[in-house]
Amino acid sequence: MLTEASLSIWGWGSLGIVLFLITFGPFVIFYLTFYILCFVGGGLVVTLLFGKTNSEKYLEQCEHSFLPPTSTGVPKCLEEMKREARTIKIDRRLTGANIIDEPLQQVIQFSLRDYVQYWYYTLSDDESFLLEIRQTLQNALIQFATRSKEIDWQPYFTTRIVDDFGTHLRVFRKAQQKITEKDDQAKGTAEDLVDTFFEVEVEMEKDVCRDLVCTSPKDEEGFLRDLCEVLLYLLLPPGDFQNKIMRYFVREILARGILLPLINQLSDPDYINQYVIWMIRDSNCNYEAFMNIIKLSDNIGELEAVRDKAAEELQYLRSLDTAGDDINTIKNQINSLLFVKKVCDSRIQRLQSGKEINTVKLAANFGKLCTVPLDSILVDNVALQFFMDYMQQTGGQAHLFFWMTVEGYRVTAQQQLEVLLSRQRDGKHQTNQTKGLLRAAAVGIYEQYLSEKASPRVTVDDYLVAKLADTLNHEDPTPEIFDDIQRKVYELMLRDERFYPSFRQNALYVRMLAELDMLKDPSFRGSDDGDGESFNGSPTGSINLSLDDLSNVSSDDSVQLHAYISDTGVCNDHGKTYALYAITVHRRNLNSEEMWKTYRRYSDFHDFHMRITEQFESLSSILKLPGKKTFNNMDRDFLEKRKKDLNAYLQLLLAPEMMKASPALAHYVYDFLENKAYSKGKGDFARKMDTFVNPLRNSMRNVSNAVKSLPDSLAEGMTKMSDNMGKMSERLGQDIKQSFFKVPPLIPKTDADPEHRRVAAQLDDNVDDNIPLRVMLLLMDEVFDLKERNQWLRRNIKNLLQQLIRATYGDTINRKIVDHVDWMTSPEQVADSVKRFRDAFWPNGILAETVPCRDKSIRMRTRVAGKTKLLAIMPDELKHIIGAETTRKGILRVFEMFQHNQLNRRMVYVFLEGFLETLFPQYKFRDLFNRLHSRSKQMQKYKQKLQTTQAPSLQKR
């Protein structure tokens, strides 16, 4: 029954479905489903709309029922925002000087355009934000300018900057010494030098080290951000500073957009080298200085760059098709370039092989040295200090100081007697007083060196001492009273094997020759590629640097020398026209004969003549040099006449009778005729200054200063004798005393090592002529490392500088320095600096692109050119004062200091810190910088080292 019922249901259902499909079609199912979904969706939409309407009505009722009424300021603010933005007027005055404000406004405009506007306009067109930033920058600049006008910048420029630079140089020098002491065999790398530099900085500064800022870009950016934020706090109004968004924008613009690029540029060694060359662009490149740089270079990159450039120039010159006179010029240039290339190859080979490159050590081992007579040593400041050091080592210092003391006595006695005679002619009588002072001085010398109580006592014949004692007792003292004994002492120093003969075999003698620029480099042989000519193609100097030069040839009869002027010509060098004389030299000896040409100007002849007539007074009446004549009046006939006169001069000079009469003359003649660039002696300025140098060299006060390092007995006697002479000079020669005896103290007595302190800590603030002496002495001491030299030489240099200042400027030197500082800080100069900054970063109003790094070879050649320029501008007078080798080392040390980017950054930051400390003296910027640098690794190591060293002492207590 159930079965039949279920079948009927399925049957009727199936029939209904079939009939439905036949009636409505096969797609009726989809239509039905769609209709059902639409019905359900419509119901939901109606329900949501009804609920939303009722909810809004309910919320509105709740708001009016439970919340307080809104403030009237909100609608007003909304209304103001909907209005058109007002134009913000900005006062364009910044410093009060239109000449400065105009370029400053351009810098602000360019900074905003290139660092803010390019991205801000993609977010908004509202100008008010940009105007607010501009107003903020201007407020900071106005406050900065106002503060700058209230500061006296003279101490900063005359003292602080020099102190910072001198201290930086001292740290660098000590770092170099530490690197050398660590391992003499292995050369320290640049990284080792930088690390050692900051170690020494901690030891000197005690409480600060800038290694992180100078070596880590991330820490450097953080330091600049912190510093700029502090400056904005000081310069901005409180309302602007509290606006964090504005403050951060301005801070980033200053730190990353202006300060960081500027510091990167100022600390780039290549930029500094180019700037040095530009600063001394007016000076001519000196061939001799260039060759000295090549021979002294220990950088293989520099030598390879010069060698490759020389090879390139050789290839170009050999490709030229020339004839006639030009071919001789090209041959000369090719010979010069071949020699330069040969010297570079030789130097590179020595550096790569690890052989000795020190010229002094090489010359000492080689054994061929020039001979400097004792009388020349005693009258030369540089040579005398080495001989003085040697005499102290051998115990013969008493003989040398006696000779110098007698020289000083003679000079002073002559001066006082001349003053006495002039006063007697004027009717003034002080005979007894003057003779009494002279007698006291003479007795003081006798007691100090010749009496039985003298210690040490000068050993001379007893009869001479007795004769002197009798003269002192019965006769009036004269300037020549000590001449006999002084002559004996001179002969003793000259012939005794303990003194001058042994000195010539000592290392100090080799160092003396190096300082006198009389030391030849034995690592380079002469060039056999042709006649030696100069680097630039003009025959101004030789490139033949053979050790077997004429300086080592004795005046033996077996050597015959003949020279004559074979040709004359006219040269044009950098706009200067002068006559040039080609000298053909023949040298004959028993085994060989040589011939070469060398080239000299008339000024070379004149300098040579002045030099030999100064050394050999008898020649002044025999040798006569033709008078000088300007080139404008020269013609061919005049040159031929001058050639004839100079030939006669050479023939007379080289006559055998002349050479036999003055054997020491041979050295000067050989040096003049040698096939090399002639090294001039004293210039005109130095000859004019002889009136200051000679009394300075021979004065009694200098002798007293020289012996302060000796045993007390000798020093006390010298001081007593000098005091007597000082009293006499004070009474009878006030001008002489003021000119030569008033000397400010360089290093006051202290328990601390002055080498571990800042440079300015060693100068007395109460001395006269403080500003010029501070500047010159600090730079002289640190650049040329004079503290390591003989104290007698240092005092002579100090006195000479004082005389140079007074001779050049008189008593107006302080005013001139003050005027120069005022000029540096004048509106015109400040405006010029701002313009240079603007043009450097935005040439023609467009942001400068990042300068691509120059090729290494170009940078290396720039280094060589910079060193050559610096060495070429050093005056010969300076070399005569402190020595040629010391001058070269000092100049090259300063140049080398600027070849390290990290060290340059340190110096820039030191200058910046000093500038801010001067600008804001009422704020504790020193403490702030110490805190900013407190994370220094070197500082932490130094503190740990101090704790380690102090712990045992605390335990003992």
Side-chain angles (χ1 to χ4, degrees):
M1 192 67 182
L2 293 173
T3 305
E4 292 178 358
S6 62
L7 289 174
S8 62
I9 293 173
W10 282 103
W12 286 104
S14 301
L15 180 62
I17 292 172
V18 171
L19 292 175
F20 182 81
L21 293 175
I22 293 173
T23 303
F24 296 101
F27 296 102
V28 68
I29 297 175
F30 298 102
Y31 293 140
L32 182 63
T33 304
F34 176 72
Y35 294 149
I36 293 173
L37 291 176
C38 289
F39 176 78
V40 174
L44 291 173
V45 171
V46 171
T47 303
L48 289 174
L49 290 175
F50 178 78
K52 180 177 182 295
T53 303
N54 289 337
S55 298
E56 290 177 351
K57 292 180 179 179
Y58 180 76
L59 289 174
E60 186 177 356
Q61 293 176 359
C62 293
E63 181 180 356
H64 288 287
S65 300
F66 305 107
L67 296 177
T70 58
S71 172
T72 56
V74 175
K76 186 175 181 180
C77 181
L78 295 175
E79 184 181 354
E80 291 289 339
M81 293 178 63
K82 292 178 182 178
R83 294 179 182 178
E84 184 178 358
R86 295 178 301 171
T87 303
I88 301 178
K89 296 183 180 180
I90 297 180
D91 189 356
R92 298 180 64 85
R93 293 175 298 179
L94 298 175
T95 63
N98 293 331
I99 192 174
I100 302 177
D101 292 347
E102 181 179 353
L104 268 181
Q105 288 289 352
Q106 292 178 346
V107 170
I108 295 175
Q109 179 183 348
F110 294 155
S111 300
L112 293 177
R113 182 194 66 188
D114 295 326
Y115 294 110
V116 180
Q117 291 179 5
Y118 81 96
W119 60 263
Y120 176 74
Y121 282 139
T122 63
L123 303 177
S124 174
D125 295 332
D126 188 7
E127 297 283 346
S128 60
F129 176 74
L130 298 177
L131 294 176
E132 290 292 343
I133 291 182
R134 189 185 188 99
Q135 185 65 52
T136 302
L137 287 173
Q138 291 195 174
N139 289 337
L141 287 174
I142 291 172
Q143 292 296 324
F144 178 84
T146 303
R147 186 62 194 161
S148 298
K149 295 176 182 178
E150 300 173 356
I151 300 299
D152 180 14
W153 290 104
Q154 293 171 10
Y156 174 74
F157 286 105
T158 59
T159 303
R160 179 63 185 264
I161 283 185
V162 179
D163 177 35
D164 289 338
F165 178 80
T167 302
H168 185 83
L169 181 59
R170 173 177 292 182
V171 175
F172 179 76
R173 175 172 55 80
K174 291 180 69 64
Q176 283 186 321
Q177 293 175 355
K178 273 197 170 185
I179 291 291
T180 305
E181 292 171 358
K182 284 181 180 179
D183 193 347
D184 293 335
Q185 301 298 327
K187 182 182 177 182
T189 62
E191 292 76 10
D192 295 337
L193 179 62
V194 171
D195 293 339
T196 307
F197 178 91
F198 288 110
E199 290 179 7
V200 178
E201 182 191 20
V202 177
E203 296 175 358
M204 186 167 295
E205 299 284 356
K206 306 297 183 184
D207 53 359
V208 65
C209 183
R210 302 169 182 85
D211 56 337
L212 280 182
V213 175
C214 299
T215 58
S216 172
K218 182 179 179 180
D219 290 302
E220 183 179 19
E221 292 180 4
F223 173 81
L224 290 176
R225 288 194 185 99
D226 294 339
L227 182 60
C228 289
E229 192 148 356
V230 172
L231 292 177
L232 292 177
Y233 172 77
L234 297 175
L235 298 175
L236 292 180
D240 292 341
F241 182 79
Q242 296 301 328
N243 188 338
K244 291 186 178 181
I245 297 178
M246 191 74 63
R247 185 172 82 238
Y248 291 161
F249 271 114
V250 176
R251 184 192 69 181
E252 291 300 314
I253 292 174
L254 292 176
R256 294 182 59 102
I258 297 178
L259 286 180
L260 190 58
L262 180 62
I263 293 172
N264 288 336
Q265 184 177 26
L266 294 178
S267 58
D268 181 19
D270 189 51
Y271 171 79
I272 295 175
N273 296 339
Q274 296 179 64
Y275 188 73
V276 168
I277 296 174
W278 178 82
M279 285 288 291
I280 51 181
R281 61 191 179 277
D282 295 333
S283 65
N284 299 329
C285 268
N286 185 291
Y287 167 75
E288 186 177 359
F290 171 75
M291 292 307 303
N292 280 333
I293 293 300
I294 296 299
K295 291 187 294 181
L296 294 173
S297 176
D298 57 358
N299 189 310
I300 295 180
E302 293 179 358
L303 297 171
E304 290 178 342
V306 174
R307 181 193 61 186
D308 295 343
K309 188 63 176 178
E312 180 182 337
E313 291 293 328
L314 279 170
Q315 185 177 3
Y316 168 75
L317 291 174
R318 285 168 174 166
S319 66
L320 296 178
D321 185 14
T322 57
D325 296 335
D326 292 339
I327 194 172
N328 295 326
T329 302
I330 292 177
K331 283 183 178 180
N332 292 338
Q333 293 176 346
I334 289 176
N335 290 335
S336 296
L337 291 173
L338 285 173
F339 179 75
V340 171
K341 186 173 179 294
K342 183 177 181 179
V343 172
C344 291
D345 288 333
S346 176
R347 187 73 175 176
I348 291 173
Q349 182 179 1
R350 276 193 166 272
L351 290 171
Q352 291 177 341
S353 63
K355 295 181 180 178
E356 181 62 63
I357 59 175
N358 188 290
T359 305
V360 176
K361 293 181 179 179
L362 283 170
N365 295 332
F366 195 78
K368 290 188 176 182
L369 301 174
C370 301
T371 300
V372 181
L374 179 60
D375 54 353
S376 299
I377 292 176
L378 293 176
V379 297
D380 187 280
N381 275 333
V382 177
L384 182 56
Q385 61 125 348
F386 288 98
F387 188 58
M388 186 181 297
D389 291 341
Y390 176 78
M391 294 294 282
Q392 289 179 348
Q393 294 177 7
T394 58
Q397 67 270 24
H399 298 79
L400 177 60
F401 288 136
F402 172 78
W403 189 92
M404 295 170 62
T405 303
V406 172
E407 285 292 303
Y409 169 82
R410 181 185 296 106
V411 171
T412 308
Q414 289 174 350
Q415 292 173 350
Q416 307 313 316
L417 291 178
E418 289 174 1
V419 171
L420 177 62
L421 291 176
S422 64
R423 291 189 175 184
Q424 287 179 346
R425 286 194 296 266
D426 296 338
K428 301 177 181 179
H429 299 281
Q430 290 183 341
T431 306
N432 295 332
Q433 183 181 14
T434 302
K435 292 182 178 179
L437 292 173
L438 286 175
R439 185 183 301 279
V443 171
I445 297 175
Y446 173 82
E447 294 290 341
Q448 176 61 40
Y449 294 104
L450 303 173
S451 68
E452 296 181 356
K453 299 179 181 179
S455 177
R457 185 171 183 264
V458 175
T459 55
V460 291
D461 296 336
D462 293 338
Y463 79 92
L464 290 175
V465 177
K467 180 181 177 181
L468 174 63
D470 184 69
T471 303
L472 289 174
N473 292 330
H474 300 91
E475 298 180 11
D476 293 333
T478 62
E480 299 80 15
I481 192 172
F482 293 100
D483 282 3
D484 292 339
I485 298 180
Q486 186 189 30
R487 192 178 302 109
K488 287 291 184 180
V489 170
Y490 175 82
E491 293 177 358
L492 178 66
M493 291 190 296
L494 178 64
R495 306 187 186 285
D496 194 319
E497 288 296 330
R498 297 173 299 167
F499 303 142
Y500 176 70
S502 297
F503 173 62
R504 289 183 52 191
Q505 309 299 324
N506 193 274
L508 287 172
Y509 184 78
V510 181
R511 290 175 54 193
M512 181 195 74
L513 294 179
E515 294 292 355
L516 296 176
D517 210 11
M518 299 174 64
L519 195 61
K520 303 299 177 182
D521 189 348
S523 60
F524 303 102
R525 294 289 178 178
S527 175
D528 299 327
D529 299 312
D531 293 338
E533 306 297 342
S534 69
F535 176 68
N536 60 7
S538 62
T540 58
S542 168
I543 57 176
N544 186 358
L545 301 179
S546 173
L547 267 180
D548 300 324
D549 56 18
L550 292 173
S551 299
N552 295 319
V553 179
S554 64
S555 58
D556 189 29
D557 294 337
S558 60
V559 178
Q560 298 179 1
L561 198 65
H562 177 67
Y564 63 94
I565 298 176
S566 56
D567 195 10
T568 60
V570 176
C571 292
N572 190 302
D573 185 15
H574 297 278
K576 297 181 179 180
T577 306
Y578 55 87
L580 200 66
Y581 303 93
I583 306 175
T584 302
V585 184
H586 293 267
R587 183 178 66 179
R588 299 185 184 90
N589 54 29
L590 296 178
N591 302 321
S592 63
E593 179 178 352
E594 298 179 63
M595 185 188 73
W596 64 88
K597 283 188 177 181
T598 189
Y599 299 86
R600 296 289 181 259
R601 297 173 56 176
Y602 177 83
S603 60
D604 299 333
F605 277 96
H606 181 266
D607 181 86
F608 169 73
H609 181 75
M610 294 294 292
R611 185 184 296 188
I612 62 175
T613 51
E614 284 180 357
Q615 293 294 328
F616 310 96
E617 296 181 359
S618 59
L619 298 180
S620 59
S621 60
I622 303 175
L623 291 173
K624 300 296 182 183
L625 188 69
K628 188 174 183 181
K629 190 173 184 180
T630 59
F631 182 77
N632 294 333
N633 298 327
M634 291 183 185
D635 52 23
R636 193 64 190 174
D637 294 337
F638 173 78
L639 291 178
E640 289 298 327
K641 183 178 183 302
R642 173 62 59 81
K643 172 184 173 182
K644 182 179 179 181
D645 293 339
L646 291 178
N647 270 326
Y649 178 85
L650 287 174
Q651 297 307 316
L652 181 60
L653 179 68
L654 297 175
E657 297 79 8
M658 182 76 70
M659 303 297 285
K660 290 181 179 179
S662 302
L665 177 64
H667 166 74
Y668 297 93
V669 175
Y670 294 152
D671 181 69
F672 180 72
L673 296 178
E674 194 176 343
N675 190 14
K676 66 171 187 177
Y678 178 62
S679 177
K680 291 186 178 181
K682 298 178 181 179
D684 293 337
F685 181 73
R687 298 184 192 282
K688 294 176 183 178
M689 288 305 299
D690 277 348
T691 55
F692 296 114
V693 177
N694 289 335
L696 179 67
R697 178 186 302 148
N698 298 320
S699 66
M700 297 293 294
R701 185 58 55 91
N702 290 336
V703 178
S704 175
N705 292 334
V707 298
K708 287 186 177 179
S709 59
L710 297 180
D712 293 341
S713 58
L714 180 60
E716 289 174 1
M718 290 287 293
T719 304
K720 291 177 182 178
M721 179 273 302
S722 299
D723 289 340
N724 292 333
M725 297 302 295
K727 293 177 181 178
M728 178 171 59
S729 299
E730 182 178 2
R731 297 180 183 180
L732 302 179
Q734 290 293 335
D735 294 338
I736 298 173
K737 180 183 177 183
Q738 291 177 1
S739 299
F740 300 108
F741 291 168
K742 188 173 69 174
V743 180
L746 260 183
I747 304 179
K749 294 182 180 180
T750 177
D751 295 334
D753 183 6
E755 281 289 286
H756 288 81
R757 296 184 301 163
R758 294 185 64 87
V759 173
Q762 302 178 50
L763 288 179
D764 188 358
D765 293 331
N766 298 320
V767 298
D768 295 335
D769 296 332
N770 187 40
I771 293 177
L773 284 179
R774 180 187 300 274
V775 174
M776 298 188 72
L777 292 178
L778 283 176
L779 292 181
M780 290 285 287
D781 265 357
E782 293 306 321
V783 171
F784 301 108
D785 195 16
L786 298 180
K787 290 177 292 299
E788 301 297 328
R789 308 292 296 277
N790 189 299
Q791 289 299 311
W792 174 84
L793 176 67
R794 289 189 70 237
R795 295 180 185 277
N796 271 357
I797 293 172
K798 181 172 55 180
N799 285 339
L800 181 58
L801 288 177
Q802 196 173 24
Q803 294 306 314
L804 286 173
I805 292 172
R806 289 179 175 173
T808 307
Y809 300 106
D811 295 330
T812 64
I813 181 64
N814 287 335
R815 180 175 57 81
K816 287 183 177 292
I817 291 182
V818 171
D819 292 343
H820 184 70
V821 172
D822 291 339
W823 174 79
M824 291 172 58
T825 56
S826 64
E828 292 78 10
Q829 288 303 308
V830 174
D832 187 62
S833 300
V834 176
K835 289 177 182 178
R836 287 200 299 267
F837 174 80
R838 177 200 62 192
D839 296 338
F841 280 82
W842 292 278
N844 299 321
I846 301 174
L847 182 64
E849 298 180 358
T850 302
V851 180
C853 185
R854 301 201 305 166
D855 183 69
K856 180 182 177 182
S857 61
I858 298 178
R859 288 185 281 117
M860 290 295 105
R861 289 199 296 272
T862 305
R863 286 183 53 160
V864 174
K867 288 192 284 187
T868 302
K869 284 274 191 178
L870 285 175
L871 200 60
I873 64 170
M874 287 297 105
D876 292 335
E877 289 77 16
L878 182 63
K879 297 178 182 179
H880 290 303
I881 294 173
I882 65 176
E885 186 71 11
T886 299
T887 302
R888 280 194 291 265
K889 286 183 178 180
I891 295 301
L892 295 181
R893 181 187 299 114
V894 174
F895 186 86
E896 180 64 26
M897 181 183 68
F898 287 115
Q899 305 312 306
H900 302 274
N901 187 284
Q902 299 91 334
L903 307 189
N904 294 338
R905 301 184 96 83
R906 189 260 179 192
M907 187 164 59
V908 172
Y909 281 118
V910 167
F911 289 160
L912 177 61
E913 292 172 10
F915 176 81
L916 294 177
E917 290 177 23
T918 305
L919 186 64
F920 302 101
Q922 70 275 26
Y923 301 109
K924 299 180 180 179
F925 261 93
R926 171 50 52 193
D927 295 338
L928 171 65
F929 289 129
N930 290 346
R931 293 176 184 177
L932 292 178
H933 296 303
S934 60
R935 295 187 300 107
S936 166
K937 297 180 180 179
Q938 295 290 352
M939 194 69 203
Q940 295 173 2
K941 292 180 181 178
Y942 180 72
K943 291 181 178 178
Q944 293 177 358
K945 181 180 178 180
L946 284 181
Q947 293 176 357
T948 304
T949 55
Q950 292 176 359
S953 60
L954 294 176
Q955 292 177 358
K956 292 180 180 179
R957 294 181 182 177

